Amino acid sequence: MSYRKGSKVWVEEKGEGWLEAEVVDAKERAVVVLTSQRKKISVLPEKLLPRDTDEDLGGGHVDDMTKLTYLNEPGVLYNLKRRYALNEIYTYTGSILIAVNPFTRLPHLYNEYMMEQYKGVRLGDLSPHVFAVADASYRAMVNDSRSQSILVSGESGAGKTETTKLIMRYLTYVGGRAVLDDRSVEQQVLESNPLLEAFGNAKTIRNDNSSRFGKFVEIQFDKTGRISGAAIRTYLLERSRVVQINDPERNFHCFYQLCASGKDAELYKLGHASTFHYLNQSKTYELEGTNNEDEYWKTKRAMDIVGISRSDQDAIFRTLAAILHLGNIEFSPGKESDSSKIKDSTSNFHLQMTATLLMCDPDLLVSSLCSRSIHTNEGIIIKALDCAAAVANRDTLAKTVYARLFDWLVENINKSIGQDVDSKAQIGVLDIYGFESFKHNSFEQFCINFANEKLQQHFNEHVFKMEQEEYKSEKINWSYIEFIDNQDMLDLIEKKPIGIIALLDEACMFPKSTHVTFATKMFRNLSSHPRLEKTKFSETDFSISHYAGKVTYQTDSFLEKNRDYIVAEHCNLLSSSRCPLLSGLFTSLPEESVRSSYKFSSVASRFKQQLQALMETLSSTEPHYVRCVKPNSVNRPQLFENQSVLHQLRCGGVLEAVRISLAGYPTRRTYAEFVDRFGVLVPELMLGSYDERALTESVLEKMKLDNFQLGRTKVFLRAGQIAILDVRRAEVLDNAARRIQGRFRTFIARKEFVKTKEASISVQAYCRGCFARKMYKIMRETAAAIILQKHVRRLIVQRNYQEACSAALLIQSCIRGFIARRYFSTIREQKAALVIQSFWRKRKVAMLFQHYKRATIAIQCAWRQKLARKELRKLRMTANEAGALREAKNKLEKKLDDLTLRLTLERRIRAAGEETKLVEISKRDKIIETLSAECAAAKSSARSEHDKNLLLQRQLDDSLGEIAMLRSNKILKAEEEKQNSNLKNIVKSLSEKNSLLENELSTARKSSDDTMEKLKDVEGKCTHLQQNLVKLQEKLTNLENENHVLRNKAFNISPKTVSEVLPFYNPLKFSETPTPTKHLAPIPHSTGTRRQKLPVERHEGNHEILSRCIKENLGFKDGKPVAACIIYKCLLHWRAFESERTAIFDHVIEAINDVLKAKEADGRLPYWLSNTSALLCLLQKNLRSNGFFGTPSHRSNGSLGLGGRTGQVRNPACQLFSLSLVGRGDTLAQVDARYPAILFKQQLTACVEKIFGQLRDNLKKEISPLLSVCIQAPKSTRAQPGKASKSPGAGAQQPSNSHWDNIVNFLNLLMDTLRENYVPSFFIRKLITQLFSFINIQLFNSLLLRRECCTFSNGEYVKAGLSLLEKWITDVTEEFAGTSWHELNYIRQAVGFLVIHQKRKKTLEEISQDLCPSLSIRQIYRICSMYWDDKYNTQGISNEVVSAMREMVNKDTANLVSNSFLLDDDLSIPFSTEDLSMAIPATDYADVELPECLHLHPSVQFLLKVS
């Protein structure tokens, strides 16, 4: 393929596997590319792979890798990497699911709601998920009645076990049964996992908990698709690990758990793991984050759950301890040659412990280890074993015991779970080891890779079959396509007589054979095989070219690990054990087997047979594949190692599937997608309407391509053809870009020239104007300077003259003003002093009086307030006891009289206090008069002194010439000034005393005002307490009456009466507990009470009329439900509400329930919602629980008719009076309700809630198909993207009216039905609100689960549909719609986010606070990760914002209880009984007439007489 400058390619790199690059220079033999690391590399064109130029659009990833434009190795790798960065861990490759281990909790992906979303959905309709594969297998099993299998593979740590658990969990969810011993089959299988992990898992180099065996879980189903049983099969336990491990690996977990078990370890004489040979070959004894002792107790609990008895548990752990002690037995050469014996006392101790734990004879154990017996015709020959043979014999015994113990555990687990032998269909889940290739590969890796080759062949056949089905469905010719097969590889391993396994078995049969002889014979017989190679630096190692790559095997231990000798001495030893479990594992050998001490059994051959049986099982089922991938080797989240993942993709067969696809037609596009992408190559054919298939053929013919085929809906292209089309498309787009650039540059150049020309003219005009303005300015400034000089000189002279005049006038005015002000201030001070004195005297007396008055009132009020509070506390304490209220009433009345008396006394005391206060005020007035007199005298003396001063001043003015006299006068004046200062001090002290008195008077006035206010508050509180007392008396009466009712039912009726009443009592519907009362009077059983019940009991024959009212549709009269009104009138007339015991209420409820259970009940739900709610409101507004055991004085005369004779009821006058009361419901007092009536009201409330919930659920079921059609509609809308792409600016996409209008029509029909049945607006509002909440949930969840819904065009589609719903809400008004528009908040904000432009410029704060404030970060992150612009091909949210959201999501994952990003449906009843009574208006039932169809019935003739 030829590359041009600017082409996007993949270039291979050792560290990263593949790198993104762009061609910067294309030569004949080499291409220079610029990598994403900004490095330039020169490579050959053959080593480059094409990359999609539009891969950044649509989110940069696809959920099905068959949708990749270039299906190649780097495309698959980087698609997984991009999805993993967004926490999208599942990806399809056709029907194959690839699961990347996230190494973090993602509980929102696996909750029950998510399982419900994938239930019954076709594979590929929703985002990739393991539940989708499990559901596809279950549906195929149910629909086709054929067994299924799910093959889960991957390397250690890739998440195979967790994936298997999720698959079984989902199958149990949809299979739905299976409870055995209070545990489901799935639970029992999962509970056996800790046990199997303890005995079958170990630490390896790559994984701390690696399964060292394969597991096939077979879940069995009955004919109805329910789980009926399960079974577990295991394959190829790595027995050699028991006796040999490499550092830093570990042996099986159970050994380390037993050593850390504390007391149990001491019981078996076990120490630290480092003291045992089978464990200390590696220095790793602990696992990070794992406690061996805790794991030991978990294993024991698992044994309890599985059903292993305590004795068997002890036998199991004794056996494990015996294996450890057995490994510590060492041997030394014996006295004879080629013989051995126990080495020392330590080994002897371990020997004795082994014999004790195995419950066998120590001598027999020594004999079985150090010798073997050969049976001949002449007799038994005992042959001694040398030290090496004894060690091998010891290890063989340990491996045999452990392997049989493991098989026994699996068998017991299967017995605990239970199998269904009659099951016709099964789903098998295979959890098996993946392909392994290490630095040193031995016999175990050879067997594991052989199994993977078998599975790969099955996988290739499945992929080939899927390809064939695709080609057949599209009706294209595929017969000449050849696919890759690995049968030659399998023949190399298993073919007889010269396969590797056959040669290995042959070598194992000869005792003298070694790995050298085996390797030599293998190379001699198979040297010509293309898949087998001999290594250069070893004579015994060989390499095999597997499907996943070349693996080199070391044959050093092949023979030892393949030999599985059945040693007769070992069987005889353990069959003679006193431990039942061990003796059961090793039964005695038959006679012919005893003749040979060693009976050879090949591990490889047995594994081959097991594998063949597994393949036969898989071949009889329809397979489904899950490939688990481990993204990194350090088990950290958000870390993706390219090389490791590439290796796993090769080992898992994913790239093999890609190669199979490449052998056929790897590129397949629908005609619409092909035309949308390559229609630019034939623009002349794109005008007007066209046939997409014909247009596709025209494009391919114009490009002169031959390797393609046209199917029914898709075009199929050979590998490389799409690259040729992309090159041609890039050329066309480049030419168009050059043409656009040329025109644009011309436009820019001309625009710049015109702007420059206009700018130069403007500059010239501006310069000329500047010169002219400058000359004019100079001339004007010269003329202005002359005028300014003239005016300035005149102003200076004028200012000097004015300053002289104003200075003279100012001096004169200041002198005159000083003299006048001094005289005026003297006069004003005299007048002010007189006014202040008069006001002060008056104010001081009044303030003193008010002070004493208020202080007295304050004291009185405080004391009364204290007493009132004390009394209030007593009232509150006594008010809580219903039985003590009657006594409290009398006490309160007495205390109220006492308070009244005290109030009068206080008023008298206050009057006396006021008199004493007046006396004190008069005394203080006298004191003030004396003080004022002193003040006046001081002022008069001061005034006289002032006069003297004036006289002296005049004398001084007259005798200015007499200096000596002036000095003497100055001395006298100084003395007088001293006297004046003394007088001033006296006046100041008096004024301070006056201010203190004023302050005291003001505080006294304030305190008296506060006291008066408090007194008023106390009087108000007393009034309020009196009102509360009246209310409490009424409540007390009601409580006493209800207590009488309930206590009478509980204590004061005969056993016969109890048995008659209890059938009508439903404890689930009426759970009110009577309040205990201390003062209950005994209830006499009078004959009048019995006579009172007789009229009501005689109305039990009227059940028929009530049944007809309920079963027939009586309609409505003036918006009032006729049935409810007739039933209420009848019950009221028959005095049923006042009856102590009646069955008529139960009959009404049962009749309503029977109507609701009928087939046509769904259509009558609105009718009965209206009737039952109206009847309930009538009961709430017209019934009261005023007890029928009250005093006769509280009852009206009309109610006494039930206590009289039956003849009184038949009296026409009495009958007419009672009927008139029935007809006048608005003026009639409330009816006293008895116990059955109270119970009936509770049952009717439950009935209303049931009808509302049933109606709501039916509406949701009816609207769900309409919503699903709207959700699927964007697929058909995008069926012709080529046509739509011609006018990208044509505006928002209009919704498909046939879909959204169906929803609007459904809502209109609903509103018409509800209005026809006169359903109260309260119920309509609640129904519509919950229905719109359901619409919001369905649309929003589909947006988060379906990637094709999370697009720009779908956002426009849903937004247009929401506008129709908004218009409908506006039309029906808020009375019926309520907050329905607010219920669509989530989908409105999500859709608003989808349709905004320039998303890359939006910050996280703008998105979370402005655009989507109601959505959580997890939901916004989900939308961002799934969004792609299918209309304009623009990019989504920036990578920085996505990374910030991912960090926030990861931080919140550990703190949240539920990490689900989906919305849950609300199934609660959104109203209470109190809401109904307040929201629904009262119904006037008086004017509702009896329907004509009921006129002839005798029980309702009273209604005709009233009308």
Side-chain angles (χ1 to χ4, degrees), residues 118-305:
Y118 281 90
K119 186 177 181 180
V121 178
R122 188 169 61 89
L123 188 72
D125 284 356
L126 297 180
S127 300
H129 203 288
V130 68
F131 290 160
V133 176
D135 186 78
S137 65
Y138 179 77
R139 300 299 161 192
M141 181 201 68
V142 172
N143 297 332
D144 303 337
S145 299
R146 184 185 175 188
S147 296
Q148 309 289 309
S149 59
I150 304 174
L151 284 73
V152 183
S153 64
E155 74 166 37
S156 294
K160 300 189 297 297
T161 303
E162 289 300 320
T163 303
T164 304
K165 291 178 184 178
L166 292 172
I167 292 172
M168 290 190 293
R169 179 181 167 196
Y170 183 84
L171 292 177
T172 306
Y173 175 77
V174 294
R177 174 217 149 276
V179 175
L180 299 173
D181 298 332
D182 299 328
R183 299 188 307 275
S184 68
V185 170
E186 177 251 5
Q187 285 175 329
Q188 292 179 79
V189 173
L190 294 184
E191 285 165 352
S192 66
N193 277 333
L195 188 55
L196 291 178
E197 287 181 2
F199 284 84
N201 289 25
K203 172 182 168 55
T204 61
I205 297 174
R206 294 186 178 179
N207 186 11
D208 288 348
N209 190 30
S210 175
S211 297
R212 307 317 298 161
F213 66 101
K215 181 172 63 175
F216 185 70
V217 181
E218 186 180 84
I219 302 177
Q220 299 153 350
F221 296 83
D222 57 18
K223 295 180 180 179
T224 61
R226 300 298 181 187
I227 295 177
S228 57
I232 300 176
R233 302 180 196 170
T234 58
Y235 301 94
L236 191 63
L237 176 69
E238 189 181 357
R239 304 191 310 164
S240 60
R241 183 172 290 271
V242 177
V243 298
Q244 183 181 0
I245 55 176
N246 299 320
D247 199 19
E249 296 185 351
R250 291 205 325 170
N251 210 315
F252 293 106
H253 295 325
C254 57
F255 292 115
Y256 301 92
Q257 295 173 8
L258 183 60
C259 289
S261 60
K263 293 182 179 180
D264 289 356
E266 294 176 1
L267 181 64
Y268 303 133
K269 305 299 182 184
L270 297 178
H272 191 263
S274 60
T275 60
F276 295 99
H277 171 68
Y278 286 161
L279 304 182
N280 60 19
Q281 299 173 39
S282 168
K283 302 306 178 185
T284 303
Y285 305 109
E286 302 289 338
L287 294 180
E288 184 178 355
T290 303
N291 188 304
N292 288 325
E293 184 176 3
D294 294 342
E295 295 299 320
Y296 171 76
W297 294 112
K298 289 180 181 178
T299 303
K300 294 205 69 171
R301 281 195 296 271
M303 289 181 176
D304 293 333
I305 293 170

Side-chain angles (χ1 to χ4, degrees), residues 1166-1422:
Y1167 170 78
W1168 275 110
L1169 182 62
S1170 180
N1171 275 274
T1172 52
S1173 61
L1175 182 58
L1176 180 62
C1177 289
L1178 287 173
L1179 296 179
Q1180 286 180 330
K1181 296 182 185 299
N1182 297 325
L1183 296 187
R1184 66 181 178 187
S1185 59
N1186 203 14
F1188 44 82
F1189 291 106
T1191 56
S1193 61
H1194 291 287
R1195 302 183 61 148
S1196 61
N1197 294 329
S1199 64
L1200 294 174
L1202 289 174
R1205 297 179 180 178
T1206 56
Q1208 292 177 353
V1209 179
R1210 296 176 183 176
N1211 190 321
C1214 295
Q1215 188 176 8
L1216 183 61
F1217 175 72
S1218 63
L1219 294 177
S1220 65
L1221 291 181
V1222 173
R1224 297 173 58 196
D1226 53 344
T1227 59
L1228 185 65
Q1230 289 184 330
V1231 180
D1232 292 340
R1234 301 298 177 116
Y1235 172 75
I1238 296 172
L1239 183 58
F1240 175 60
K1241 188 168 69 172
Q1242 301 253 349
Q1243 292 173 332
L1244 195 61
T1245 303
C1247 191
V1248 171
E1249 294 177 352
K1250 175 184 175 182
I1251 295 172
F1252 180 87
Q1254 192 173 346
L1255 178 60
R1256 176 197 61 196
D1257 296 340
N1258 289 345
L1259 293 176
K1260 289 181 180 180
K1261 291 179 182 178
E1262 292 176 11
I1263 204 173
S1264 291
L1266 302 178
L1267 289 174
S1268 64
V1269 171
C1270 288
I1271 292 169
Q1272 296 291 340
K1275 291 185 177 180
S1276 59
T1277 306
R1278 288 193 295 272
Q1280 297 179 354
K1283 298 179 183 178
S1285 61
K1286 292 189 293 184
S1287 57
Q1293 176 186 355
Q1294 294 300 321
S1296 178
N1297 292 334
S1298 61
H1299 302 315
W1300 289 105
D1301 288 348
N1302 287 341
I1303 295 179
V1304 175
N1305 294 335
F1306 171 80
L1307 295 173
N1308 289 330
L1309 181 62
L1310 172 63
M1311 286 298 301
D1312 294 341
T1313 304
L1314 296 176
R1315 287 170 175 167
E1316 287 173 2
N1317 290 278
Y1318 294 97
V1319 177
S1321 60
F1322 173 78
F1323 287 112
I1324 298 178
R1325 188 163 57 251
K1326 296 295 183 182
L1327 271 175
I1328 298 299
T1329 301
Q1330 287 207 337
L1331 192 59
F1332 271 81
S1333 175
F1334 179 74
I1335 294 173
N1336 174 68
I1337 291 169
Q1338 292 296 105
L1339 293 177
F1340 185 76
N1341 288 348
S1342 67
L1343 198 71
L1344 300 186
L1345 290 175
R1346 302 173 185 264
R1347 193 161 188 264
E1348 66 272 7
C1349 293
C1350 203
T1351 60
F1352 187 90
S1353 60
N1354 186 63
E1356 292 181 330
Y1357 170 78
V1358 177
K1359 186 177 181 181
L1362 292 177
S1363 65
L1364 294 178
L1365 296 181
E1366 183 182 14
K1367 182 178 181 301
W1368 184 87
I1369 292 172
T1370 307
D1371 293 342
V1372 300
T1373 69
E1374 187 177 355
E1375 178 185 2
F1376 299 105
T1379 60
S1380 298
W1381 183 242
H1382 178 72
E1383 295 296 330
L1384 299 174
N1385 209 12
Y1386 277 84
I1387 186 64
R1388 286 194 292 116
Q1389 293 180 10
V1391 167
F1393 173 71
L1394 291 180
V1395 299
I1396 62 168
H1397 296 281
Q1398 297 182 345
K1399 293 183 177 64
R1400 294 189 72 82
K1401 295 183 179 180
K1402 301 297 181 182
T1403 62
L1404 179 58
E1405 184 177 358
E1406 291 175 342
I1407 296 172
S1408 60
Q1409 296 183 6
D1410 299 338
L1411 296 175
C1412 307
S1414 299
L1415 273 63
S1416 65
I1417 292 295
R1418 187 175 296 279
Q1419 291 167 340
I1420 298 172
Y1421 175 69
R1422 176 74 176 181

Side-chain angles (χ1 to χ4, degrees), residues 366-519:
V366 174
S367 175
S368 63
L369 293 177
C370 297
S371 64
R372 66 174 178 176
S373 59
I374 302 175
H375 291 257
T376 64
N377 293 330
E378 289 78 12
I380 300 175
I381 300 174
I382 298 177
K383 180 183 178 182
L385 300 178
D386 59 11
C387 294
V391 169
N393 200 15
R394 177 200 67 188
D395 293 344
T396 300
L397 176 60
K399 291 188 292 184
T400 304
V401 170
Y402 191 84
R404 297 202 180 189
L405 180 63
F406 184 80
D407 293 339
W408 182 88
L409 284 172
V410 174
E411 182 181 355
N412 271 267
I413 290 171
N414 286 331
K415 288 180 182 178
S416 173
I417 295 173
Q419 301 185 46
D420 183 9
V421 294
D422 299 327
S423 175
K424 301 300 182 183
Q426 302 89 24
I427 296 181
V429 183
L430 179 64
D431 175 8
I432 200 165
Y433 19 63
F435 190 90
E436 292 187 354
S437 177
F438 304 126
K439 186 176 181 181
H440 298 284
N441 300 285
S442 186
F443 178 73
E444 291 81 10
Q445 282 69 43
F446 176 76
C447 292
I448 288 171
N449 293 342
F450 170 50
N452 280 272
E453 286 285 355
K454 275 281 192 182
L455 293 173
Q456 185 62 30
Q457 185 185 41
H458 186 266
F459 176 71
N460 290 348
E461 292 174 356
H462 171 71
V463 173
F464 185 28
K465 181 181 176 182
M466 298 301 293
E467 291 283 324
Q468 287 178 346
E469 290 178 357
E470 172 107 23
Y471 297 156
K472 285 179 180 179
S473 65
E474 291 292 330
K475 297 181 180 179
I476 68 171
N477 183 19
W478 54 272
S479 58
Y480 59 87
I481 299 173
E482 296 180 358
F483 289 96
I484 303 170
D485 193 9
N486 64 339
Q487 185 59 45
D488 59 336
M489 180 73 252
L490 297 175
D491 292 341
L492 171 65
I493 296 175
E494 64 177 350
K495 188 175 181 180
K496 292 182 179 180
I498 57 171
I500 295 178
I501 292 179
L503 295 174
L504 181 60
D505 290 346
E506 183 181 348
C508 290
M509 290 180 183
F510 298 98
K512 298 298 183 179
S513 295
T514 63
H515 66 283
V516 177
T517 57
F518 161 67

Side-chain angles (χ1 to χ4, degrees), residues 1042-1054:
E1042 291 183 1
N1043 288 336
H1044 278 303
V1045 174
L1046 298 174
R1047 289 179 68 85
N1048 180 55
K1049 294 295 176 183
F1051 303 111
N1052 296 325
I1053 57 179
S1054 62

Side-chain angles (χ1 to χ4, degrees), residues 982-1141:
N982 293 332
L983 291 174
K984 287 181 180 180
N985 292 332
I986 294 171
V987 172
K988 186 175 180 180
S989 63
L990 290 174
S991 63
E992 289 177 355
K993 290 181 180 180
N994 289 334
S995 63
L996 292 174
L997 291 173
E998 287 178 356
N999 291 333
E1000 291 178 358
L1001 186 61
S1002 62
T1003 54
R1005 183 179 295 172
K1006 289 181 181 178
S1007 62
S1008 62
D1009 292 340
D1010 294 339
T1011 306
M1012 288 297 293
E1013 290 178 358
K1014 291 179 181 178
L1015 184 61
K1016 291 178 181 179
D1017 292 339
V1018 171
E1019 290 177 354
K1021 288 179 180 178
C1022 289
T1023 306
H1024 184 63
L1025 286 173
Q1026 290 176 354
Q1027 295 174 356
N1028 288 341
L1029 181 62
V1030 175
K1031 293 180 180 178
L1032 287 172
Q1033 288 174 352
E1034 294 176 357
K1035 290 182 179 179
L1036 176 63
T1037 306
N1038 293 333
L1039 288 173
E1040 286 178 347
N1041 291 331
E1042 291 183 1
N1043 288 336
H1044 278 303
V1045 174
L1046 298 174
R1047 289 179 68 85
N1048 180 55
K1049 294 295 176 183
F1051 303 111
N1052 296 325
I1053 57 179
S1054 62
K1056 181 178 179 181
T1057 311
V1058 172
S1059 63
E1060 293 174 354
V1061 174
L1062 285 179
F1064 311 120
Y1065 174 72
N1066 188 350
L1068 296 177
K1069 296 181 180 179
F1070 186 78
S1071 58
E1072 185 176 356
T1073 305
T1075 306
T1077 308
K1078 297 180 180 179
H1079 306 281
L1080 288 175
I1083 303 168
H1085 295 277
S1086 62
T1087 57
T1089 306
R1090 181 172 181 80
R1091 289 196 302 270
Q1092 187 179 1
K1093 301 175 185 176
L1094 293 178
V1096 179
E1097 294 300 330
R1098 293 183 179 181
H1099 288 295
E1100 292 182 359
N1102 298 318
H1103 290 178
E1104 183 182 353
I1105 186 64
L1106 295 178
S1107 298
R1108 290 191 61 184
C1109 290
I1110 293 171
K1111 292 178 180 178
E1112 297 179 8
N1113 190 345
L1114 302 183
F1116 300 86
K1117 173 70 180 301
D1118 298 331
K1120 302 169 187 175
V1122 175
C1125 295
I1126 297 299
I1127 292 172
Y1128 181 75
K1129 283 184 176 182
C1130 292
L1131 296 176
L1132 190 65
H1133 176 70
W1134 297 334
R1135 306 290 177 87
F1137 300 121
E1138 303 176 39
S1139 175
E1140 297 177 12
R1141 188 180 69 218

